[in-house]
Amino acid sequence: MTDNAPKNSLTLLGLGDMGTALARTWLAAGHRLTVWNRTAAKAGALAAEGAVVAASPAEAVAANGLVVICLLDDATVGSALDGVVLTGKDLVNLTTGTPAEGRARAAWAEERGARFVDGGIMATPTMIGVPGAGGYVFYSGSRALFDTHRATLEVPAGARFVGEDPGHAALHDVALLSAMYGMFAGISHAYALIEGEDIAPKDLAPLLSEWLGAMGFFVGNAAERLTSRDFTTGVVSNLAMQTAASGTLLRTAEQQGVSAELISPYLDLMRRRLTADPAAHGGEDTAGAITLLKR
Ligand code: FVH
């Protein structure tokens, strides 16, 4: 960082739900914060809490060496900072993007003389600034930038640095979110199955939580198998059995009048792995099916 601003001073671009939550935690922690938002009215309440409101992205960036960006998407970051002088700045981009966008944005920042770290926020706005809520942010890119500003970055939520490849924060973020949506799909299907039956969702809820917790062993088990490429040793529920049983899941959905659209893609993947070579894959763990996904 090349400016003379105080160490606990920073700029934040973007005051949506997440940006506003971030801003409040830095202000509450006594940081000197300059903010900019396209819709200036959103900065009013923060100004009353002590934020300095900049009239343009250029004015906001000029105010501090550390610039945190939390805008809608990567295209918005590019347009907001178009033509803004970034030489000597430390940019921390908390805008959700793809790994490729993170890498391209890092190269873009470097060309403009800035250090860059990309971030992936694993929290909702309500979890920001709430110790114990479990929220944290993945960071990747310039280790030197991260080390310089770590204390400031840890004010709103925990900070986990996942390497110098600027695409890796987004990759970790998207990997976890993708797993989450798969889980939401299964839960949604389970609730749809009991709809109209004499089973209250609130009675199924603890059973679902307990079962998903018990099945969490798959996370570590699959990781070990993908590393060793051994999908057969110590298998407790093999692919042949699970594929046969999947017919029951599909027939139950049919009988309950529930679309199988949320679960059939995974069941189809298992079947594809099995039918490719039943003798070789029938005794495998379902983790073997993961190998079919990479194009
Ligand atoms: N909210 C959440 O639960 C998730 C948690 C995980 C991380 N995401 C990502 O965080 C980024 C910001 O999310 P947000 O919740 O603050 O989003 P919004 O409330 O929709 O605010 C969007 C901000 O972006 C500004 N903006 C939009 N378009 C433009 C534009 N063309 N030029 C300049 N700024 C723009 C918008 O400004 P305004 O509408 O108030 O004028 C807001 O500041 C995001 O990447 C999430 O995926 C949040």
Side-chain angles (χ1 to χ4, degrees):
M1 203 164 75
T2 57
D3 72 323
N4 295 320
K7 213 169 165 232
N8 66 348
S9 153
L10 72 155
T11 284
L12 174 65
L13 305 179
L15 296 175
D17 293 340
M18 182 54 77
T20 300
L22 295 169
R24 289 223 153 89
T25 64
W26 279 311
L27 289 170
H31 288 249
R32 292 193 3 193
L33 183 69
T34 297
V35 295
W36 170 82
N37 194 59
R38 177 183 62 173
T39 306
K42 286 191 190 168
L46 292 169
E49 292 169 38
V52 175
V53 181
S56 67
E59 186 182 312
V61 169
N64 291 295
L66 174 59
V67 178
V68 177
I69 306 158
C70 190
L71 293 168
L72 185 64
D73 54 22
D74 183 66
T76 309
V77 175
S79 63
L81 290 175
D82 188 32
V84 174
V85 176
L86 300 176
T87 314
K89 299 296 174 181
D90 282 348
L91 302 186
V92 175
N93 183 25
L94 300 185
T95 305
T96 300
T98 68
E101 285 168 347
R103 290 177 186 129
R105 193 54 66 195
W108 170 94
E110 202 176 313
E111 279 164 22
R112 285 157 182 77
R115 295 194 296 188
F116 182 87
V117 156
D118 204 43
I121 305 176
M122 305 310 300
T124 61
T126 52
M127 293 160 79
I128 296 299
V130 182
Y136 64 88
V137 180
F138 286 121
Y139 293 96
S140 70
S142 165
R143 176 92 225 190
L145 184 163
F146 180 75
D147 288 343
T148 304
H149 300 293
R150 183 175 195 142
T152 299
L153 298 176
E154 282 179 334
V155 168
R160 299 185 187 187
F161 189 81
V162 290
E164 300 217 83
D165 181 332
H168 279 187
L171 190 53
H172 280 76
D173 182 359
V174 171
L176 267 58
L177 291 179
S178 301
M180 177 191 80
Y181 282 117
M183 185 182 73
F184 286 176
I187 294 168
S188 301
H189 184 82
Y191 279 126
L193 284 178
I194 62 155
E195 236 184 18
E197 298 280 348
D198 191 18
I199 303 171
K202 70 173 175 44
D203 292 336
L204 190 68
L207 303 174
L208 267 177
S209 293
E210 189 183 42
W211 181 244
L212 292 174
M215 291 299 102
F217 81 90
F218 181 72
V219 176
N221 187 273
E224 278 173 27
R225 293 191 183 282
L226 287 167
T227 305
S228 65
R229 307 313 274 186
D230 177 355
F231 299 111
T232 51
T233 304
V235 171
V236 286
S237 302
N238 69 48
L239 187 64
M241 178 281 292
Q242 294 210 50
T243 303
S246 70
T248 306
L249 271 62
L250 295 171
R251 285 198 309 281
T252 302
E254 178 79 33
Q255 289 161 13
Q256 294 299 107
V258 170
S259 163
E261 64 193 304
L262 293 180
I263 60 161
S264 56
Y266 188 70
L267 302 182
D268 288 348
L269 190 77
M270 291 199 305
R271 180 165 289 109
R272 201 145 63 81
R273 176 73 171 172
L274 179 67
T275 53
D277 189 343
H281 302 311
E284 281 184 351
D285 186 88
T286 51
I290 297 169
T291 60
L292 295 182
L293 290 172
K294 193 86 179 176
R295 289 200 181 117

